[in-house]
Amino acid sequence: MTCCSRLVALAGTVAVLGGAPAARAQSPTSATPEQQTRLETVALAKARTEAFRRLGTLPLAPDRALADALAGDVDLDRALRLWARTRPRHGGVRLYSDGVCECDVRLEPDEVRAQLAQLAADRPQPPWDSDRLARAAAGWPVIQVTGRATLDEIAAASGPPGWEDVSAAGQELARAAARADAQAALLTEVGRLKVTHARRLHEFLDSDAAVRDAVRAELERAANARVELAADQLAVVEVRIGLRELLRIVTRVHQEHYRGSDFEAADFRQMVLLAGREEVAAIGLAPPPARTILTTRYEPLELDVPPWAGATLSALGRYEPTDNESPDEATRREAARLDALDHLYAQMTKLVIREDVPVGAFLSYHSHLKSDVALFLSGARPVGRPVTKPDGTTELKVELPLRRLWEILRRAMTVEEVEPAAMSPSTRPATAGPR
């Protein structure tokens, strides 16, 4: 006779609840300090990567997103990605007892607008003007994302953090692509050097294809490169070349390939004096090709998943000041957020797992999960900006995806073999008779 499995949460009597003691629940996996550091590094890197992806979805115009502007400008894409991958962590690290780590990154519309305005100011042909950028940014949402790393992902990995699911070939291809990007960035960077007060080196490079190719080849030969497989799954190559070595390169190329009359060899010696630094540096970035990411063909099967596991709760928090209070904006926003968490908790405890068993009742019998649930609740995301009304009341909407809650709760559930539904004789499987 065939059987199937199901998750058993509670069965309506205290006796059954007591029949699934904590000793039989999934034991929490304690991470070593080294593993905790790796978990935090990977989780934060994943959050930054997702934050950059969402940056690309911000609209600059009704029919044009930021990603469209980045697609046509490699230097701009690189500069914005370098900024995004340095964003600080928002809030604390959530390290759960089952070896799951979560980190948040938050990007406010004003700071994104300021960074884009700065990038545009540094370019000879800005991809957007400040007025249009300000109008577009007024409608941008707050970007807050969560990065997640699990102990299972990193425990057996011996390679760089964050590259656990990338093949060796993918790592090498990413390194090679990042080197090429770094060399292109270095050529652009040296092109910005002033040769005279009126001319820059890029004018010399653009004078002839042979000149540019010769300088590029010499830079690839002479520049010092440092390669890193960063945790945000980007190969990062930093290349540097000293000004004196660069002087020798452009002087030799001038003698062997230059056919114009706008530049003299003496001009390049002045370039070193005008630079005011000892070397030129540039950074190249490249992700691994998608085909080299190791993925499973099928998603794992789960039984008895409640419908709310894929949903998101939301709540509106309010802060109402008293006559004697005049807190600053940050204090009012935090008070409204904490009020919203109270409302979320009240909603969460009423969620039904199965057979009319709510989350609140389940936690009352599995107190070892409460610390993880509290940690999960602290990760609720504010939606948009807080709104302050004329009477001083501050409101803030928050949301909380519930998938992680289900993962926490199911650790305390047992798997039970049950009989399938009654079948008619025609569909019942045949049994072997006596021989």
PDB file of all heavy atoms in Angstrom, residues 26-55:
ATOM      1  N   GLN A  26      14.149  20.158  13.930  1.00  0.00           N
ATOM      2  CA  GLN A  26      15.440  20.329  13.280  1.00  0.00           C
ATOM      3  C   GLN A  26      16.368  21.098  14.192  1.00  0.00           C
ATOM      4  O   GLN A  26      16.045  22.179  14.668  1.00  0.00           O
ATOM      5  CB  GLN A  26      15.264  21.094  11.965  1.00  0.00           C
ATOM      6  CG  GLN A  26      16.569  21.347  11.236  1.00  0.00           C
ATOM      7  CD  GLN A  26      16.346  22.100   9.949  1.00  0.00           C
ATOM      8  OE1 GLN A  26      15.268  22.053   9.383  1.00  0.00           O
ATOM      9  NE2 GLN A  26      17.366  22.781   9.483  1.00  0.00           N
ATOM     10  N   SER A  27      17.539  20.561  14.466  1.00  0.00           N
ATOM     11  CA  SER A  27      18.476  21.204  15.370  1.00  0.00           C
ATOM     12  C   SER A  27      19.096  22.430  14.714  1.00  0.00           C
ATOM     13  O   SER A  27      19.527  22.356  13.563  1.00  0.00           O
ATOM     14  CB  SER A  27      19.584  20.226  15.775  1.00  0.00           C
ATOM     15  OG  SER A  27      19.027  19.095  16.417  1.00  0.00           O
ATOM     16  N   PRO A  28      19.155  23.556  15.413  1.00  0.00           N
ATOM     17  CA  PRO A  28      19.813  24.731  14.839  1.00  0.00           C
ATOM     18  C   PRO A  28      21.276  24.450  14.550  1.00  0.00           C
ATOM     19  O   PRO A  28      21.948  23.763  15.316  1.00  0.00           O
ATOM     20  CB  PRO A  28      19.652  25.802  15.930  1.00  0.00           C
ATOM     21  CG  PRO A  28      18.536  25.309  16.802  1.00  0.00           C
ATOM     22  CD  PRO A  28      18.604  23.809  16.739  1.00  0.00           C
ATOM     23  N   THR A  29      21.760  24.966  13.465  1.00  0.00           N
ATOM     24  CA  THR A  29      23.153  24.809  13.088  1.00  0.00           C
ATOM     25  C   THR A  29      23.922  26.032  13.541  1.00  0.00           C
ATOM     26  O   THR A  29      23.622  27.141  13.109  1.00  0.00           O
ATOM     27  CB  THR A  29      23.295  24.650  11.568  1.00  0.00           C
ATOM     28  OG1 THR A  29      22.489  23.556  11.149  1.00  0.00           O
ATOM     29  CG2 THR A  29      24.734  24.401  11.182  1.00  0.00           C
ATOM     30  N   SER A  30      24.892  25.873  14.413  1.00  0.00           N
ATOM     31  CA  SER A  30      25.665  27.014  14.895  1.00  0.00           C
ATOM     32  C   SER A  30      26.848  27.233  13.971  1.00  0.00           C
ATOM     33  O   SER A  30      27.625  26.316  13.701  1.00  0.00           O
ATOM     34  CB  SER A  30      26.143  26.778  16.329  1.00  0.00           C
ATOM     35  OG  SER A  30      27.066  25.724  16.387  1.00  0.00           O
ATOM     36  N   ALA A  31      26.976  28.456  13.456  1.00  0.00           N
ATOM     37  CA  ALA A  31      28.071  28.804  12.563  1.00  0.00           C
ATOM     38  C   ALA A  31      29.272  29.255  13.378  1.00  0.00           C
ATOM     39  O   ALA A  31      29.133  29.909  14.413  1.00  0.00           O
ATOM     40  CB  ALA A  31      27.636  29.906  11.609  1.00  0.00           C
ATOM     41  N   THR A  32      30.445  28.908  12.907  1.00  0.00           N
ATOM     42  CA  THR A  32      31.676  29.376  13.538  1.00  0.00           C
ATOM     43  C   THR A  32      31.847  30.871  13.251  1.00  0.00           C
ATOM     44  O   THR A  32      31.211  31.411  12.351  1.00  0.00           O
ATOM     45  CB  THR A  32      32.878  28.608  12.995  1.00  0.00           C
ATOM     46  OG1 THR A  32      33.033  28.911  11.595  1.00  0.00           O
ATOM     47  CG2 THR A  32      32.679  27.096  13.154  1.00  0.00           C
ATOM     48  N   PRO A  33      32.697  31.551  14.006  1.00  0.00           N
ATOM     49  CA  PRO A  33      32.925  32.979  13.719  1.00  0.00           C
ATOM     50  C   PRO A  33      33.364  33.223  12.275  1.00  0.00           C
ATOM     51  O   PRO A  33      32.946  34.207  11.649  1.00  0.00           O
ATOM     52  CB  PRO A  33      34.022  33.365  14.713  1.00  0.00           C
ATOM     53  CG  PRO A  33      33.816  32.419  15.867  1.00  0.00           C
ATOM     54  CD  PRO A  33      33.375  31.139  15.243  1.00  0.00           C
ATOM     55  N   GLU A  34      34.207  32.334  11.730  1.00  0.00           N
ATOM     56  CA  GLU A  34      34.639  32.483  10.343  1.00  0.00           C
ATOM     57  C   GLU A  34      33.460  32.337   9.389  1.00  0.00           C
ATOM     58  O   GLU A  34      33.339  33.088   8.407  1.00  0.00           O
ATOM     59  CB  GLU A  34      35.720  31.462  10.010  1.00  0.00           C
ATOM     60  CG  GLU A  34      37.038  31.661  10.731  1.00  0.00           C
ATOM     61  CD  GLU A  34      36.999  31.166  12.169  1.00  0.00           C
ATOM     62  OE1 GLU A  34      36.030  30.460  12.529  1.00  0.00           O
ATOM     63  OE2 GLU A  34      37.923  31.493  12.927  1.00  0.00           O
ATOM     64  N   GLN A  35      32.584  31.375   9.658  1.00  0.00           N
ATOM     65  CA  GLN A  35      31.412  31.186   8.814  1.00  0.00           C
ATOM     66  C   GLN A  35      30.445  32.364   8.929  1.00  0.00           C
ATOM     67  O   GLN A  35      29.842  32.776   7.935  1.00  0.00           O
ATOM     68  CB  GLN A  35      30.707  29.882   9.180  1.00  0.00           C
ATOM     69  CG  GLN A  35      31.471  28.635   8.767  1.00  0.00           C
ATOM     70  CD  GLN A  35      30.826  27.370   9.281  1.00  0.00           C
ATOM     71  OE1 GLN A  35      30.181  27.367  10.342  1.00  0.00           O
ATOM     72  NE2 GLN A  35      30.973  26.282   8.549  1.00  0.00           N
ATOM     73  N   GLN A  36      30.305  32.915  10.131  1.00  0.00           N
ATOM     74  CA  GLN A  36      29.435  34.072  10.308  1.00  0.00           C
ATOM     75  C   GLN A  36      29.933  35.259   9.485  1.00  0.00           C
ATOM     76  O   GLN A  36      29.144  35.959   8.842  1.00  0.00           O
ATOM     77  CB  GLN A  36      29.359  34.449  11.784  1.00  0.00           C
ATOM     78  CG  GLN A  36      28.605  33.452  12.649  1.00  0.00           C
ATOM     79  CD  GLN A  36      28.517  33.894  14.096  1.00  0.00           C
ATOM     80  OE1 GLN A  36      28.623  35.075  14.399  1.00  0.00           O
ATOM     81  NE2 GLN A  36      28.338  32.945  14.999  1.00  0.00           N
ATOM     82  N   THR A  37      31.245  35.466   9.503  1.00  0.00           N
ATOM     83  CA  THR A  37      31.815  36.556   8.708  1.00  0.00           C
ATOM     84  C   THR A  37      31.544  36.344   7.228  1.00  0.00           C
ATOM     85  O   THR A  37      31.180  37.279   6.502  1.00  0.00           O
ATOM     86  CB  THR A  37      33.329  36.655   8.956  1.00  0.00           C
ATOM     87  OG1 THR A  37      33.563  36.912  10.340  1.00  0.00           O
ATOM     88  CG2 THR A  37      33.951  37.757   8.111  1.00  0.00           C
ATOM     89  N   ARG A  38      31.699  35.105   6.786  1.00  0.00           N
ATOM     90  CA  ARG A  38      31.456  34.805   5.369  1.00  0.00           C
ATOM     91  C   ARG A  38      29.975  34.975   5.026  1.00  0.00           C
ATOM     92  O   ARG A  38      29.631  35.504   3.973  1.00  0.00           O
ATOM     93  CB  ARG A  38      31.914  33.392   5.057  1.00  0.00           C
ATOM     94  CG  ARG A  38      31.814  33.009   3.584  1.00  0.00           C
ATOM     95  CD  ARG A  38      32.611  31.768   3.307  1.00  0.00           C
ATOM     96  NE  ARG A  38      32.536  31.397   1.897  1.00  0.00           N
ATOM     97  CZ  ARG A  38      33.525  30.868   1.203  1.00  0.00           C
ATOM     98  NH1 ARG A  38      34.685  30.664   1.784  1.00  0.00           N
ATOM     99  NH2 ARG A  38      33.381  30.550  -0.070  1.00  0.00           N
ATOM    100  N   LEU A  39      29.095  34.533   5.910  1.00  0.00           N
ATOM    101  CA  LEU A  39      27.664  34.698   5.684  1.00  0.00           C
ATOM    102  C   LEU A  39      27.296  36.175   5.543  1.00  0.00           C
ATOM    103  O   LEU A  39      26.556  36.564   4.634  1.00  0.00           O
ATOM    104  CB  LEU A  39      26.880  34.074   6.832  1.00  0.00           C
ATOM    105  CG  LEU A  39      26.743  32.549   6.850  1.00  0.00           C
ATOM    106  CD1 LEU A  39      26.186  32.080   8.183  1.00  0.00           C
ATOM    107  CD2 LEU A  39      25.862  32.067   5.721  1.00  0.00           C
ATOM    108  N   GLU A  40      27.793  37.003   6.446  1.00  0.00           N
ATOM    109  CA  GLU A  40      27.489  38.428   6.397  1.00  0.00           C
ATOM    110  C   GLU A  40      28.028  39.062   5.120  1.00  0.00           C
ATOM    111  O   GLU A  40      27.360  39.900   4.499  1.00  0.00           O
ATOM    112  CB  GLU A  40      28.065  39.124   7.628  1.00  0.00           C
ATOM    113  CG  GLU A  40      27.417  38.694   8.940  1.00  0.00           C
ATOM    114  CD  GLU A  40      28.097  39.322  10.142  1.00  0.00           C
ATOM    115  OE1 GLU A  40      28.803  40.337   9.956  1.00  0.00           O
ATOM    116  OE2 GLU A  40      27.937  38.798  11.263  1.00  0.00           O
ATOM    117  N   THR A  41      29.237  38.670   4.736  1.00  0.00           N
ATOM    118  CA  THR A  41      29.847  39.227   3.528  1.00  0.00           C
ATOM    119  C   THR A  41      29.022  38.902   2.292  1.00  0.00           C
ATOM    120  O   THR A  41      28.740  39.768   1.450  1.00  0.00           O
ATOM    121  CB  THR A  41      31.276  38.688   3.361  1.00  0.00           C
ATOM    122  OG1 THR A  41      32.067  39.068   4.490  1.00  0.00           O
ATOM    123  CG2 THR A  41      31.923  39.232   2.094  1.00  0.00           C
ATOM    124  N   VAL A  42      28.609  37.641   2.172  1.00  0.00           N
ATOM    125  CA  VAL A  42      27.858  37.211   0.994  1.00  0.00           C
ATOM    126  C   VAL A  42      26.454  37.827   0.990  1.00  0.00           C
ATOM    127  O   VAL A  42      25.969  38.283  -0.053  1.00  0.00           O
ATOM    128  CB  VAL A  42      27.787  35.672   0.937  1.00  0.00           C
ATOM    129  CG1 VAL A  42      26.883  35.217  -0.205  1.00  0.00           C
ATOM    130  CG2 VAL A  42      29.185  35.087   0.764  1.00  0.00           C
ATOM    131  N   ALA A  43      25.799  37.856   2.147  1.00  0.00           N
ATOM    132  CA  ALA A  43      24.444  38.412   2.211  1.00  0.00           C
ATOM    133  C   ALA A  43      24.447  39.896   1.844  1.00  0.00           C
ATOM    134  O   ALA A  43      23.584  40.363   1.087  1.00  0.00           O
ATOM    135  CB  ALA A  43      23.859  38.215   3.604  1.00  0.00           C
ATOM    136  N   LEU A  44      25.415  40.656   2.358  1.00  0.00           N
ATOM    137  CA  LEU A  44      25.488  42.078   2.037  1.00  0.00           C
ATOM    138  C   LEU A  44      25.805  42.289   0.558  1.00  0.00           C
ATOM    139  O   LEU A  44      25.241  43.179  -0.089  1.00  0.00           O
ATOM    140  CB  LEU A  44      26.543  42.754   2.913  1.00  0.00           C
ATOM    141  CG  LEU A  44      26.762  44.253   2.696  1.00  0.00           C
ATOM    142  CD1 LEU A  44      25.455  45.023   2.895  1.00  0.00           C
ATOM    143  CD2 LEU A  44      27.841  44.784   3.626  1.00  0.00           C
ATOM    144  N   ALA A  45      26.682  41.459   0.022  1.00  0.00           N
ATOM    145  CA  ALA A  45      27.024  41.575  -1.398  1.00  0.00           C
ATOM    146  C   ALA A  45      25.819  41.298  -2.280  1.00  0.00           C
ATOM    147  O   ALA A  45      25.582  41.995  -3.285  1.00  0.00           O
ATOM    148  CB  ALA A  45      28.162  40.619  -1.733  1.00  0.00           C
ATOM    149  N   LYS A  46      25.025  40.295  -1.930  1.00  0.00           N
ATOM    150  CA  LYS A  46      23.823  39.992  -2.710  1.00  0.00           C
ATOM    151  C   LYS A  46      22.824  41.146  -2.650  1.00  0.00           C
ATOM    152  O   LYS A  46      22.158  41.466  -3.647  1.00  0.00           O
ATOM    153  CB  LYS A  46      23.182  38.706  -2.209  1.00  0.00           C
ATOM    154  CG  LYS A  46      23.959  37.435  -2.560  1.00  0.00           C
ATOM    155  CD  LYS A  46      23.208  36.204  -2.078  1.00  0.00           C
ATOM    156  CE  LYS A  46      23.935  34.925  -2.489  1.00  0.00           C
ATOM    157  NZ  LYS A  46      23.205  33.707  -2.043  1.00  0.00           N
ATOM    158  N   ALA A  47      22.715  41.788  -1.490  1.00  0.00           N
ATOM    159  CA  ALA A  47      21.806  42.917  -1.368  1.00  0.00           C
ATOM    160  C   ALA A  47      22.260  44.071  -2.249  1.00  0.00           C
ATOM    161  O   ALA A  47      21.438  44.730  -2.905  1.00  0.00           O
ATOM    162  CB  ALA A  47      21.725  43.363   0.094  1.00  0.00           C
ATOM    163  N   ARG A  48      23.560  44.330  -2.293  1.00  0.00           N
ATOM    164  CA  ARG A  48      24.066  45.419  -3.136  1.00  0.00           C
ATOM    165  C   ARG A  48      23.845  45.120  -4.616  1.00  0.00           C
ATOM    166  O   ARG A  48      23.501  46.025  -5.395  1.00  0.00           O
ATOM    167  CB  ARG A  48      25.556  45.621  -2.851  1.00  0.00           C
ATOM    168  CG  ARG A  48      25.840  46.277  -1.508  1.00  0.00           C
ATOM    169  CD  ARG A  48      27.299  46.187  -1.151  1.00  0.00           C
ATOM    170  NE  ARG A  48      27.630  46.972   0.029  1.00  0.00           N
ATOM    171  CZ  ARG A  48      28.768  46.877   0.693  1.00  0.00           C
ATOM    172  NH1 ARG A  48      29.706  46.018   0.290  1.00  0.00           N
ATOM    173  NH2 ARG A  48      29.006  47.624   1.763  1.00  0.00           N
ATOM    174  N   THR A  49      24.026  43.864  -5.001  1.00  0.00           N
ATOM    175  CA  THR A  49      23.807  43.493  -6.397  1.00  0.00           C
ATOM    176  C   THR A  49      22.352  43.710  -6.799  1.00  0.00           C
ATOM    177  O   THR A  49      22.054  44.249  -7.869  1.00  0.00           O
ATOM    178  CB  THR A  49      24.206  42.031  -6.625  1.00  0.00           C
ATOM    179  OG1 THR A  49      25.600  41.865  -6.311  1.00  0.00           O
ATOM    180  CG2 THR A  49      23.976  41.612  -8.064  1.00  0.00           C
ATOM    181  N   GLU A  50      21.441  43.292  -5.938  1.00  0.00           N
ATOM    182  CA  GLU A  50      20.012  43.468  -6.235  1.00  0.00           C
ATOM    183  C   GLU A  50      19.637  44.954  -6.220  1.00  0.00           C
ATOM    184  O   GLU A  50      18.800  45.397  -7.015  1.00  0.00           O
ATOM    185  CB  GLU A  50      19.171  42.703  -5.223  1.00  0.00           C
ATOM    186  CG  GLU A  50      17.672  42.869  -5.358  1.00  0.00           C
ATOM    187  CD  GLU A  50      17.123  42.395  -6.684  1.00  0.00           C
ATOM    188  OE1 GLU A  50      17.823  41.656  -7.407  1.00  0.00           O
ATOM    189  OE2 GLU A  50      15.974  42.764  -7.010  1.00  0.00           O
ATOM    190  N   ALA A  51      20.258  45.730  -5.320  1.00  0.00           N
ATOM    191  CA  ALA A  51      19.981  47.166  -5.288  1.00  0.00           C
ATOM    192  C   ALA A  51      20.392  47.828  -6.599  1.00  0.00           C
ATOM    193  O   ALA A  51      19.673  48.695  -7.124  1.00  0.00           O
ATOM    194  CB  ALA A  51      20.716  47.811  -4.111  1.00  0.00           C
ATOM    195  N   PHE A  52      21.539  47.413  -7.163  1.00  0.00           N
ATOM    196  CA  PHE A  52      21.967  47.982  -8.442  1.00  0.00           C
ATOM    197  C   PHE A  52      20.997  47.593  -9.555  1.00  0.00           C
ATOM    198  O   PHE A  52      20.685  48.409 -10.428  1.00  0.00           O
ATOM    199  CB  PHE A  52      23.369  47.508  -8.784  1.00  0.00           C
ATOM    200  CG  PHE A  52      23.846  47.959 -10.139  1.00  0.00           C
ATOM    201  CD1 PHE A  52      24.248  49.262 -10.355  1.00  0.00           C
ATOM    202  CD2 PHE A  52      23.858  47.081 -11.211  1.00  0.00           C
ATOM    203  CE1 PHE A  52      24.654  49.691 -11.607  1.00  0.00           C
ATOM    204  CE2 PHE A  52      24.270  47.494 -12.471  1.00  0.00           C
ATOM    205  CZ  PHE A  52      24.673  48.811 -12.665  1.00  0.00           C
ATOM    206  N   ARG A  53      20.516  46.355  -9.527  1.00  0.00           N
ATOM    207  CA  ARG A  53      19.555  45.935 -10.552  1.00  0.00           C
ATOM    208  C   ARG A  53      18.288  46.789 -10.479  1.00  0.00           C
ATOM    209  O   ARG A  53      17.749  47.210 -11.509  1.00  0.00           O
ATOM    210  CB  ARG A  53      19.207  44.462 -10.364  1.00  0.00           C
ATOM    211  CG  ARG A  53      18.363  43.885 -11.497  1.00  0.00           C
ATOM    212  CD  ARG A  53      17.760  42.552 -11.123  1.00  0.00           C
ATOM    213  NE  ARG A  53      16.762  42.676 -10.079  1.00  0.00           N
ATOM    214  CZ  ARG A  53      15.513  43.092 -10.273  1.00  0.00           C
ATOM    215  NH1 ARG A  53      15.108  43.440 -11.481  1.00  0.00           N
ATOM    216  NH2 ARG A  53      14.662  43.173  -9.264  1.00  0.00           N
ATOM    217  N   ARG A  54      17.827  47.061  -9.276  1.00  0.00           N
ATOM    218  CA  ARG A  54      16.608  47.863  -9.137  1.00  0.00           C
ATOM    219  C   ARG A  54      16.854  49.328  -9.496  1.00  0.00           C
ATOM    220  O   ARG A  54      15.914  50.025  -9.905  1.00  0.00           O
ATOM    221  CB  ARG A  54      16.071  47.751  -7.712  1.00  0.00           C
ATOM    222  CG  ARG A  54      15.593  46.349  -7.365  1.00  0.00           C
ATOM    223  CD  ARG A  54      14.707  46.346  -6.159  1.00  0.00           C
ATOM    224  NE  ARG A  54      14.412  44.996  -5.713  1.00  0.00           N
ATOM    225  CZ  ARG A  54      13.642  44.708  -4.679  1.00  0.00           C
ATOM    226  NH1 ARG A  54      13.083  45.685  -3.990  1.00  0.00           N
ATOM    227  NH2 ARG A  54      13.431  43.453  -4.326  1.00  0.00           N
ATOM    228  N   LEU A  55      18.078  49.791  -9.330  1.00  0.00           N
ATOM    229  CA  LEU A  55      18.401  51.137  -9.791  1.00  0.00           C
ATOM    230  C   LEU A  55      18.085  51.280 -11.276  1.00  0.00           C
ATOM    231  O   LEU A  55      17.595  52.324 -11.729  1.00  0.00           O
ATOM    232  CB  LEU A  55      19.875  51.445  -9.550  1.00  0.00           C
ATOM    233  CG  LEU A  55      20.291  51.932  -8.161  1.00  0.00           C
ATOM    234  CD1 LEU A  55      21.802  52.090  -8.099  1.00  0.00           C
ATOM    235  CD2 LEU A  55      19.606  53.241  -7.817  1.00  0.00           C
TER     236      LEU A  55
END
